[in-house]
Amino acid sequence: MMNKLQIIGAFVIAFCSVSLLNAQDATITVKPSKDAPTISKHIYGHFAEHLGRSIYDGFFVGKDSPIPNTDGVRNDLIEALKEIKIPNLRWPGGCFADTYHWKDGIGPQEDRPTIVNTWWGGVTEDNSFGTHDFLNLCEVLETEPYLAGNVGSGTVKELADWVQYVNHDGTSPMADLRKQNGREKSWGVTYWGVGNEMWGCGGNMEPEFYANLYRQYATFMGSWNNEAGLYRIASGANSADYNWTEVLMKNIPKSLLDGVALHHYSVIDWNKKGPDVDFTEDHYFTTMKSSLFMDQLITKHVAIMDKYDKKKEVDLVVDEWGGWYEVQEGTNPGFLYQQNTMRDAMIAGTTLNIFNNHSDRVKMANLAQTVNVLQAVALTKGEQMILTPTYHILKMYTVHHDAQLIPLDLDTPDYEYNGDTLPAISASASKDAEGKTHISLVNIDAHKENTVSIDLSALNIKDFSAEILASDKLQDHNSFEDPEHIMPEGFKDFKFKKGVLEVTLPAFSVVVLEGK
């Protein structure tokens, strides 16, 4: 038998062993470089498709609505988007773009034809929200419009006329039509998508066919006195379709190409996407595996781009990303309405860190979507509007807009589940124009806190402040009954001594630190 000392000794050894097993330490070393790229603010872009309650009953409630609005767009949403410094907004789709004919949405409301949204719910729309409404909204938001052109069911002339209509200040048929419709000065739209998902809903095309079609459309898209010129974006690959990127980069002259798109959603299984709120850890782990796959996707697509564009003249534009689950119970399956939980905060934080760290090539991205659809930043219900955990991440990350990337070396522990592992810690850092350093950290582990040690000796930082987004359960979310259940808070669980910052991250949390 063991005596008391032996028993106590055995207990201490066992306790220490468990503590060591639970101790999760990550290390980060910053490697500032004068040659590091700028993190374009356009990485933090948004997407508003004619889908479900995104435009109608989301953005647009109508000028006669009792809900306070500016030309029909709800004021609370406008103010919320200004708070996150929305840099660009993509419209009108998505799949909807390749069935949308822009002339149906201009001129007197009573003369506009209706349209059946065959992609999303089969609803009939009255075209009350069109080109003028969207571009005027972008002016109110002080954001860059990103127009997705109709290549799937449109014509070269139709897209060329749209460019002329919104960009030409002189005398021409389309400029005159715009003036007749009440807008004297052009809007000067820079960003143009030449079709959307041409491998799928845009026409089920082969990449070689689309590359030739793109060349034709892009050739006839004159800038029409837009001082910045046009930034033309080719419809890019579906996730890991590397051949699509290869064909486009090989077959389209760089003189006609400014960006190549990429679409990737954090989804469990396209046939069984799992619930939006009542998900299990198995659902969560699989979703995060799909989300973190974005890093590999970008690395491989960029390697292909580098073969044909060593000077990095063509950008990678991830103009659709986000979490995709089964719709909320009781809602129209074609409306893609889902709640937004701490899982979505994890997706947002890790994905934006990935974009930041690839900012030498990723110059633009668009979260899908802004309001009431997929991973929305806002949800509306009549006069009520709530801001989601994803919204708060985007607001916390505004510090990275147009700041210089600080490259990092990251050594992270694993998040282990059911015999599989994922990197638990995600991070990115930048230095802004005022000389402030910002570090964004995400711990995706569903159970364990992690300590992160950051060697900042290469930077002259004297003090830090921080905020955190965290909650008790991964399934937690903001609701119309409890709209501020999840909110950013001040964070103090860190130490800074002799150039080393030590941060203790709670399970499934996001922390943004500011050093100066």
Side-chain angles (χ1 to χ4, degrees):
M1 292 181 66
M2 298 171 66
N3 60 34
K4 283 187 177 180
L5 287 176
Q6 289 174 318
I7 292 171
I8 293 171
F11 175 78
V12 170
I13 291 171
F15 177 79
C16 290
S17 297
V18 171
S19 296
L20 287 171
L21 285 173
N22 287 332
Q24 300 289 303
D25 295 316
T27 58
I28 296 174
T29 302
V30 300
K31 304 178 72 176
S33 169
K34 293 181 180 179
D35 298 324
T38 296
I39 299 171
S40 172
K41 66 181 180 181
H42 289 293
I43 282 173
Y44 293 82
H46 294 263
F47 178 26
E49 183 171 5
H50 284 248
L51 195 173
R53 294 173 51 242
S54 169
I55 300 299
Y56 301 106
D57 199 34
F59 275 94
F60 192 72
V61 293
K63 297 177 183 179
D64 297 327
S65 172
I67 298 171
N69 67 84
T70 299
D71 292 329
V73 177
R74 52 188 307 152
N75 289 340
D76 52 2
L77 184 59
I78 289 173
E79 291 308 310
L81 295 179
K82 284 184 174 181
E83 283 289 316
I84 57 174
K85 302 178 182 178
I86 175 174
N88 67 74
L89 184 59
R90 182 176 180 237
W91 176 86
C95 293
F96 182 83
D98 283 291
T99 51
Y100 181 69
H101 300 282
W102 67 270
K103 287 184 180 179
D104 292 344
I106 61 173
Q109 178 60 51
E110 60 272 16
D111 295 337
R112 299 183 190 182
T114 58
I115 180 175
V116 177
N117 192 332
T118 55
W119 293 110
W120 307 115
V123 296
T124 299
E125 300 183 7
D126 65 1
N127 273 308
S128 55
F129 189 89
T131 296
H132 287 249
D133 307 276
F134 173 69
L135 296 179
N136 291 344
L137 168 62
C138 288
E139 286 187 332
V140 172
L141 291 172
E142 299 179 357
T143 192
E144 293 279 353
Y146 170 11
L147 292 175
N150 182 347
V151 172
S153 70
T155 65
V156 174
K157 183 179 186 302
E158 183 178 8
L159 184 52
D161 281 351
W162 203 13
V163 178
Q164 184 187 137
Y165 186 88
V166 303
N167 278 1
H168 188 38
D169 279 316
T171 299
S172 72
M174 292 301 104
D176 292 346
L177 180 59
R178 182 193 70 243
K179 295 169 186 176
Q180 179 183 321
N181 287 330
R183 174 76 184 198
E184 183 69 26
K185 189 179 187 312
S186 69
W187 290 278
V189 177
T190 298
Y191 297 100
W192 294 83
V194 184
N196 168 77
E197 294 190 356
M198 307 311 293
W199 39 263
C201 62
N204 286 302
M205 299 175 186
E206 295 293 330
E208 291 82 4
F209 179 82
Y210 170 65
N212 281 333
L213 200 60
Y214 175 93
R215 291 166 65 135
Q216 181 186 15
Y217 273 75
T219 297
F220 290 95
M221 294 172 66
S223 64
W224 289 99
N225 296 339
N226 178 11
E227 292 182 5
L230 297 190
Y231 184 101
R232 291 161 295 191
I233 301 168
S235 172
N238 176 23
S239 197
D241 184 355
Y242 302 113
N243 180 60
W244 189 277
T245 300
E246 181 97 31
V247 171
L248 265 55
M249 291 301 298
K250 180 180 179 180
N251 292 357
I252 300 175
K254 289 193 289 294
S255 61
L256 295 175
L257 185 63
D258 300 288
V260 173
L262 170 65
H263 290 183
H264 175 69
Y265 286 93
S266 303
V267 64
I268 295 170
D269 185 312
W270 283 108
N271 296 315
K272 194 174 182 181
K273 303 181 188 72
D276 61 337
V277 173
D278 297 323
F279 55 88
T280 65
E281 186 173 356
D282 187 70
H283 291 133
Y284 171 66
F285 189 90
T286 307
T287 303
M288 292 313 301
K289 178 182 284 189
S290 178
S291 181
L292 293 174
F293 185 52
M294 181 70 81
D295 187 60
Q296 180 178 318
L297 284 173
I298 292 173
T299 299
K300 290 189 174 183
H301 282 290
V302 164
I304 294 166
M305 295 173 73
D306 286 346
K307 284 172 54 179
Y308 300 96
D309 179 29
K310 292 180 172 58
K311 294 182 179 179
K312 299 184 183 294
E313 295 174 318
V314 179
D315 301 329
L316 185 61
V317 178
V318 190
D319 57 12
E320 288 189 30
W321 68 272
W324 193 321
Y325 324 118
E326 302 294 351
V327 302
Q328 192 169 89
E329 189 174 348
T331 64
N332 188 321
F335 283 9
L336 304 188
Y337 180 87
Q338 62 190 41
Q339 248 298 352
N340 198 285
T341 67
M342 282 300 298
R343 171 173 61 174
D344 296 279
M346 298 300 99
I347 293 172
T350 54
T351 302
L352 292 170
N353 281 342
I354 290 168
F355 292 161
N356 288 349
N357 290 326
H358 284 283
S359 53
D360 61 329
R361 270 289 190 185
V362 179
K363 298 297 183 182
M364 191 173 188
N366 300 82
L367 173 67
Q369 292 188 13
T370 311
V371 56
N372 292 335
V373 174
L374 297 177
Q375 191 173 339
V377 298
L379 303 175
T380 66
K381 181 181 178 182
E383 294 186 2
Q384 292 180 277
M385 185 186 77
I386 58 174
L387 302 176
T388 67
T390 297
Y391 175 90
H392 295 304
I393 297 300
L394 284 160
K395 187 173 181 181
M396 291 166 69
Y397 275 52
T398 56
V399 294
H400 292 303
H401 289 200
D402 286 340
Q404 186 178 37
L405 178 73
I406 300 177
L408 306 174
D409 275 344
L410 169 63
D411 182 14
T412 170
D414 290 329
Y415 163 32
E416 300 180 8
Y417 173 75
N418 202 24
D420 201 354
T421 61
L422 292 172
I425 303 300
S426 165
S428 67
S430 66
K431 189 172 185 177
D432 67 18
E434 297 177 357
K436 296 176 183 176
T437 296
H438 295 98
I439 304 169
S440 48
L441 302 171
V442 185
N443 176 19
I444 69 166
D445 198 302
H447 304 288
K448 296 176 182 177
E449 68 178 25
N450 284 287
T451 299
V452 183
S453 296
I454 310 173
D455 183 353
L456 296 167
S457 55
L459 303 174
N460 183 26
I461 298 176
K462 297 178 181 178
D463 192 23
F464 271 97
S465 60
E467 62 178 345
I468 185 172
L469 193 78
S471 196
D472 295 332
K473 296 191 302 181
L474 274 164
Q475 295 80 4
D476 284 350
H477 57 277
N478 292 333
S479 66
F480 293 102
E481 295 73 33
D482 188 4
E484 297 184 353
H485 184 69
I486 299 173
M487 295 284 289
E489 298 178 345
F491 181 68
K492 299 290 186 182
D493 202 358
F494 62 89
K495 302 174 183 176
F496 186 47
K497 188 176 181 181
K498 295 183 179 179
V500 176
L501 179 67
E502 189 174 280
V503 186
T504 301
L505 299 175
F508 56 93
S509 66
V510 180
V511 170
V512 176
L513 301 113
E514 178 176 279
K516 52 187 177 180

